[in-house]
Amino acid sequence: MRVVSLDFCADQFVIKLADRGHIVAVSPDATRDFSFMRAEAKGLNQVRPDAETILALKPDVVVRSYGGGPQMVPFLERAGIKVHQIGWGEDFAAVRTNVRAAAEALGQPARGEAVVADFDRRLANLKPAQQVYALYVTPGGVTTGPGSLVDRMMSQAGLVNFQTQKGWNPLPLERLATERPAMVVTAFFTAQSPHQDYWSQARHPMVRQMLTDLPVARLDGGATACSGWFMVDAMEAMAATGHSISAETGPLPQELRP
């Protein structure tokens, strides 16, 4: 089986589940630091999601999440190439579904079941912190509130999201002037990740001081993306930092728990 991956979300599943000798090419982002499987991606051929280039590689299966845009799928299917679409989701069930579906498409169902079993084992063994208030911060100066996958990950780790507004929004600077979380969770704060521009709220002196003064769970950005099995790494890191705080201060009072 000749396999080509078109974007960094698809890269994770292809590199994890397919035989390396079957991987014809991955995306140019496969080795970037927001790609969880970046170390394993080294040495693999990279290709941009250009239709003619992909056809020249003569793949049996093309795996994508968003790579190539909306016209890529019908174009490849008309050429007789099987396309597997990686799904998205906002819960842990989506992780299991995505892994199993990708493994089936790559002819490795047993490998997919092994990944799901390990994911479930680590989830079951995760010891959540005692309801520690935490703020999620990205280099772009945005955070996320209730309903997002990151929020669910925080809750699983025993954290209470400081951000109460749903969706992705700018950091709540006005609220931070009078209230503070007990800890901060950061992701994508690495050399290759997009630099903070001068207008990013993450550069605000109050936020920078908070990152210095408070305990910080520094996540591998790749562990929070793409509804993958690797998000359990992020949950374990958040829980560990939360435990170090709750051991000192005790749990959140009952009236403040969600």
Side-chain angles (χ1 to χ4, degrees):
M1 182 181 293
R2 294 174 60 81
V3 182
V4 172
S5 173
L6 299 189
D7 53 71
F8 93 94
C9 279
D11 293 336
Q12 316 310 311
F13 291 85
V14 167
I15 294 169
K16 182 70 173 180
L17 298 169
D19 286 339
R20 191 173 180 87
H22 293 175
I23 303 174
V24 179
V26 292
S27 83
D29 288 332
T31 53
R32 297 286 299 277
D33 61 354
F34 51 76
S35 170
F36 186 78
M37 301 292 290
R38 55 190 176 273
E40 294 83 353
K42 291 180 179 178
L44 292 173
N45 184 42
Q46 296 183 355
V47 64
R48 294 189 178 279
D50 173 82
E52 288 73 18
T53 303
I54 295 166
L55 287 180
L57 294 174
K58 299 180 180 179
D60 299 303
V61 179
V62 169
V63 182
R64 72 182 292 274
S65 175
Y66 57 87
Q71 299 306 314
M72 180 62 75
V73 174
F75 177 86
L76 294 175
E77 289 179 340
R78 285 196 300 269
I81 298 172
K82 178 182 176 181
V83 179
H84 177 69
Q85 180 76 42
I86 299 293
W88 178 252
E90 295 290 357
D91 55 35
F92 303 143
V95 175
R96 303 180 184 96
T97 298
N98 288 344
V99 170
R100 287 177 171 137
E104 188 69 32
L106 295 169
Q108 298 289 348
R111 196 170 292 174
E113 289 301 327
V115 172
V116 169
D118 183 65
F119 175 76
D120 284 339
R121 177 187 60 78
R122 292 173 66 186
L123 269 185
N125 291 335
L126 183 69
K127 294 179 172 57
Q130 299 181 44
Q131 302 289 280
V132 176
Y133 259 112
L135 176 67
Y136 182 76
V137 178
T138 64
V142 297
T143 188
T144 185
S148 71
L149 184 56
V150 170
D151 178 74
R152 287 186 172 88
M153 292 165 63
M154 293 173 71
S155 178
Q156 190 77 15
L159 309 185
V160 178
N161 199 338
F162 183 82
Q163 173 71 351
T164 57
Q165 186 176 356
K166 291 184 177 181
W168 291 85
N169 293 282
L171 292 170
L173 294 181
E174 291 185 5
R175 184 178 169 206
L176 287 171
T178 57
E179 300 177 56
R180 286 292 177 93
M183 62 176 277
V184 180
V185 178
T186 64
F188 304 103
F189 279 80
T190 48
Q192 291 187 60
S193 298
H195 296 295
Q196 299 176 47
D197 63 43
Y198 287 107
W199 302 104
S200 170
Q201 292 190 348
R203 296 177 63 93
H204 192 283
M206 184 166 54
V207 176
R208 295 171 73 173
Q209 190 65 45
M210 186 174 63
L211 290 170
T212 300
D213 294 345
L214 299 179
V216 180
R218 304 183 189 278
L219 307 184
D220 180 331
T224 65
C226 305
S227 298
W229 66 95
F230 34 79
M231 65 176 59
V232 74
D233 284 35
M235 289 184 275
E236 289 171 347
M238 289 189 286
T241 302
H243 276 298
S244 70
I245 298 169
S246 57
E248 297 176 1
T249 63
L252 192 68
Q254 184 67 39
E255 64 271 16
L256 297 179
R257 297 187 185 188

